[in-house]
Amino acid sequence: MRRIIAQMRKELTQIVRDWRTLALALALPVFLLLLMSSALSLTVNELPIVVQDFDGSSASNDFIDAFRASITLKVVPWPVDKSAEEALASNAGRAVLIIPSHFGRDMARGVNAPVQFLVDASDANTAKLVTAYAGQITTSYNQQGSGTQAGPIQTAIRLWFNPGLSSKKFFGPGIFVLGLSMFPPLLAALAMAKEGELKTILQVYVSSIPAHEFLLGKIIAFMIVALAECLIMSLLLFTYFGLSFAGDPTPALIATILYAFCVAAFGTMVGAVIPNQASALQAVAFGGFILVFLLSGMMFPIQNIPAGLRWISNLIWGRYYIEIVRDALLQGGGWPAVWYKVLIIGAIGTLFYGIAWHGMRRMQVKA
Amino acid sequence: MLRRAFLDLCWLTSLGRSQQIGEQLSEGSGPDKDIIDVERFGDRLDLLVHDPEKEQKWIAERLKGAGLSVGEMRVDEPTLDNIFVNKLRALREKADTTEFPAKQDHSRLRGQVAVGAKNLVKTFKAFTAVKNVSLDIRNGEVYGLLGANGAGKTTTIRMLCGLLELTSGTMELGGTGGNLRTEAVRKRIGYMSQRFSLYEDLTVRENLDFFSGVYGVPDQDREEKIRWVLSFSGLNGKENQITGSLPGGWKQRVAFGAAIMHEPDILFLDEPTSGVDPLARRAFWTMINRLADGGAAILVTTHYLEEAEQCNRLGMMVAGELVAEGTPSGIKSQQSGHVLEFILSQQQDQPQRAADLLRSKTENWKVSLFGERLHVFTEEDPATAIRETTKRLEENGIHVTSAREIPLSLEDVFISIVEKARAQGKAATDD
């Protein structure tokens, strides 16, 4: 125990001594949180729609007004003598609404009045959104115009957990997890690889501290860093992001401690297996960032990942923590919903610790 | 005028006695005393005195009184090292010699085999770094491992202290074979690596705190041990300096202190004194001898052959093999050959011309030039060789001021062993 404390104290002293790196590691996630949560957005606003009105009647104006009323779309008038293709090619709009010349007359007669809607589908996601919005607007315009009442089935849609469809509330927790998955293991891996690089590990090898105690001391030190980082980011989540615990906070609190252990152990393992700072950095960037970013469901729904790769996400430690955090802050399902995820995080952390120990257990150099 | 008197105490089988005398004499030594400095080389004492004839008599009487006799006494010029240390001593206060706070008594271990290695082999892929090295080092003994760079010393030392897996062979540490990773074994071992391996980004104090923690120094002794290391390193009051900012010699001293804080009885020192000034080197060796006298077994590697003479036994490695082993005087006496010293006049590049001339007829390494002194290693009868070489030099217009046979130094022996091994086709790697 005394040796573990000595090791942990030494590690913390080194971390604090290198305060620039520490400051960077603490400030970057905050920056990331602010940047990505304002840059990333689930909803689309003010998508430019080019409207080419060959009719110019009051009916066509009414119809265009329906589009103007939408907050999602922004109507951009387009002269009739310019081709619609040009509008799309020059990125003046994401779609073109072309109203033919007999629109008003056909409407008045009560016959079909076709309009053309050209959509730039180079960005599939936006194209789908624009099409859906345009369809909705047209449908409701038809209903108003014909004065017909709604059909027998009415859907009353209510948005739960995030009623304002606020992206901040969805991405906030995700980026919080991403920050935690990246920076503490990065510091841990660099510190561990440095021991091998500068050969300070030799003096440790000959001492009477066994590998598991040495690693544990190191991991605890970086757990403290992770928890400090977690604290800073949580403050931001609870204030700027306006999040609060939706239910029982204990699963998230316990999972946070286990996740701190898990990421610290991950970094330490990488540094122990790869005793070279530059390569260790790459490995952590891959594991901590790319895997957690892409395969944890933080950004992209897991069910959208191709089936052949989807199983990988079951191994990604960040996935379980994101689910727990989102549950705690949004759904509030509590222990019944997430208990096994808490256990999995602990298990993956222990696995990392085990691998690091396995590599170091002999406390010997290779050459 | 300064002179150097060698006091050969080789008769005294007990090393403890030579230490006793050495300490008695050094107590009464100092810049303004008759005996200025005392240095111990295994079973030999080196005294720096003003008047050797007078001291010789006085010492002989004193030893007789103690019931001891001196094997041989020789007078020689002081070395540069002697003069340097003497000057430093006069300028600096006497190095702080706080007694090492020993809490354990290893003296009961004396004579036991501390390091027992049989047929150690280490191969790295196709390269064999260590070939069949067998070593026995006993408690109370200072064993010096010599060898050129790349001869396999560091690899050997790492295998011996359990840092490197053996390719084949058997190892015992303190009577324990098999698993050397047990806490009981670890606590008995101290290691100072060739490359500085303390944390450069921590302060001296933080390093010592850490190592006393992981080496398991008991809490109640910790402060005293750390104080001692600071005083030994000459860093009293500088304990909060960042270790990386210290000059190399000081780092070495801190590293040495850190390696012995837990009082190991088996100590491995890989080039402990490289980059350390002569005065501090003395302090190192005083400490090394003291630890050995206390019952520790010490394996040390060094490039300073003068230092190596202080070891009780030496092993010389060439290309991964142990090619010679024995006491310093034993190794020297086993070595055939003589060293002749010619003093030449400095005029017109004569020494260099003389060296070139002699080298044209023999292997390069046998001729070495030190200012106006030319050392020639020869296997022939020394008197004949002096005569013939002098004749040859004079014939070529080089004036020989004086010529004599000088005792083989360890350096001469080392070079000739390495060169002979090389001639036999054992490639000594240069790096």
Side-chain angles (χ1 to χ4, degrees), chain A residues 165-177:
Chain A
L165 269 181
S166 157
S167 309
K168 268 192 340 194
K169 288 193 176 174
F170 181 70
F171 284 123
I175 293 161
F176 161 80
V177 173

Side-chain angles (χ1 to χ4, degrees), chain A residues 37-38 40 162 166-173 237 240-241 243:
Chain A
S37 62
S38 51
L40 290 176
N162 185 4
S166 157
S167 309
K168 268 192 340 194
K169 288 193 176 174
F170 181 70
F171 284 123
L237 287 184
Y240 177 70
F241 285 81
L243 286 160

Side-chain angles (χ1 to χ4, degrees), chain A residues 14 17 195 203 205 365, chain B residues 163 181 191 197 199 201 206:
Chain A
Q14 284 186 301
R17 180 89 2 107
E195 297 249 13
Q203 217 57 53
Y205 282 164
V365 289
Chain B
L163 266 180
R181 257 282 9 129
Y191 170 72
S197 59
Y199 294 92
D201 52 349
E206 286 160 352

Side-chain angles (χ1 to χ4, degrees), chain A residues 203, chain B residues 99-104 106 187-192 198 208 211-212 215 217 225-226 228-229 232 252-269 272 283-284 286-288 290-292 296-298:
Chain A
Q203 217 57 53
Chain B
E99 196 69 29
F100 180 67
K103 303 287 175 189
Q104 294 171 40
H106 299 312
K187 286 206 156 163
R188 296 182 58 181
I189 295 175
Y191 170 72
M192 178 178 168
L198 301 190
L208 296 175
F211 283 108
S212 60
Y215 278 115
V217 175
K225 290 279 171 63
I226 291 176
W228 176 82
V229 178
F232 173 79
Q252 292 293 94
R253 287 192 263 174
V254 177
F256 178 73
I260 64 170
M261 266 195 296
H262 61 298
E263 297 180 43
D265 67 87
I266 307 171
L267 188 56
F268 298 95
L269 305 170
F284 262 90
T286 308
M287 198 58 221
I288 290 172
R290 210 170 278 165
L291 291 172
I298 299 168

Side-chain angles (χ1 to χ4, degrees), chain B residues 4 21 66 71 79 90 96 112 122 124 139 163 166 173 222 229 246 250 260 290 294 308 345 358 370 387-388 408 410:
Chain B
R4 200 157 60 119
I21 297 166
T79 62
D96 200 340
Q112 288 182 16
K122 183 70 199 178
F124 297 110
N139 281 101
L163 266 180
L166 316 177
L173 283 181
R222 207 170 275 187
V229 178
L246 295 175
W250 278 354
I260 64 170
R290 210 170 278 165
S345 87
L358 296 182
F370 304 94
R387 220 173 29 245
E388 284 174 0
L408 274 175
L410 207 49

Side-chain angles (χ1 to χ4, degrees), chain A residues 119-338:
Chain A
V119 182
D120 173 2
S122 50
D123 174 356
N125 230 1
T126 313
K128 257 185 245 163
L129 277 170
V130 172
T131 318
Y133 277 118
Q136 272 174 28
I137 292 168
T138 314
T139 311
S140 61
Y141 180 81
N142 279 339
Q143 284 172 357
Q144 274 174 10
S146 60
T148 47
Q149 286 304 307
I153 302 172
Q154 271 195 331
T155 42
I157 297 168
R158 295 226 9 229
L159 300 168
W160 273 23
F161 307 132
N162 185 4
L165 269 181
S166 157
S167 309
K168 268 192 340 194
K169 288 193 176 174
F170 181 70
F171 284 123
I175 293 161
F176 161 80
V177 173
L178 185 67
L180 219 48
S181 311
M182 241 171 82
F183 298 100
L186 204 63
L187 292 187
L190 288 178
M192 188 70 208
K194 204 165 111 186
E195 297 249 13
E197 227 172 69
L198 299 179
K199 302 283 179 250
T200 50
I201 197 76
L202 288 181
Q203 217 57 53
V204 174
Y205 282 164
V206 286
S207 79
S208 48
I209 191 170
H212 66 270
E213 289 186 7
F214 176 78
L215 291 168
L216 200 58
K218 221 177 225 317
I219 290 172
I220 293 172
F222 287 97
M223 268 176 86
I224 294 174
V225 173
L227 291 173
E229 195 165 307
C230 172
L231 197 69
I232 295 174
M233 287 198 290
S234 308
L235 286 177
L236 208 62
L237 287 184
F238 289 131
T239 56
Y240 177 70
F241 285 81
L243 286 160
S244 57
F245 284 115
D248 181 7
T250 52
L253 293 180
I254 289 174
T256 300
I257 293 168
L258 286 176
Y259 196 66
F261 167 74
C262 185
V263 291
F266 172 67
T268 307
M269 174 196 78
V270 168
V273 176
I274 310 172
N276 171 299
Q277 290 192 72
S279 317
L281 191 108
Q282 299 279 329
V284 173
F286 177 74
F289 186 74
I290 303 198
L291 288 183
V292 173
F293 188 75
L294 295 179
L295 295 176
S296 68
M298 186 216 116
M299 282 294 296
F300 313 107
I302 290 169
Q303 53 274 21
N304 287 4
I305 301 169
L309 296 173
R310 203 178 304 155
W311 61 272
I312 300 175
S313 76
N314 292 329
L315 309 175
I316 305 301
W317 49 106
R319 167 191 177 168
Y320 301 99
Y321 189 53
I322 284 185
E323 286 170 6
I324 293 168
V325 171
R326 282 197 178 136
D327 181 80
L329 296 176
L330 299 170
Q331 284 113 321
W335 282 111
V338 298

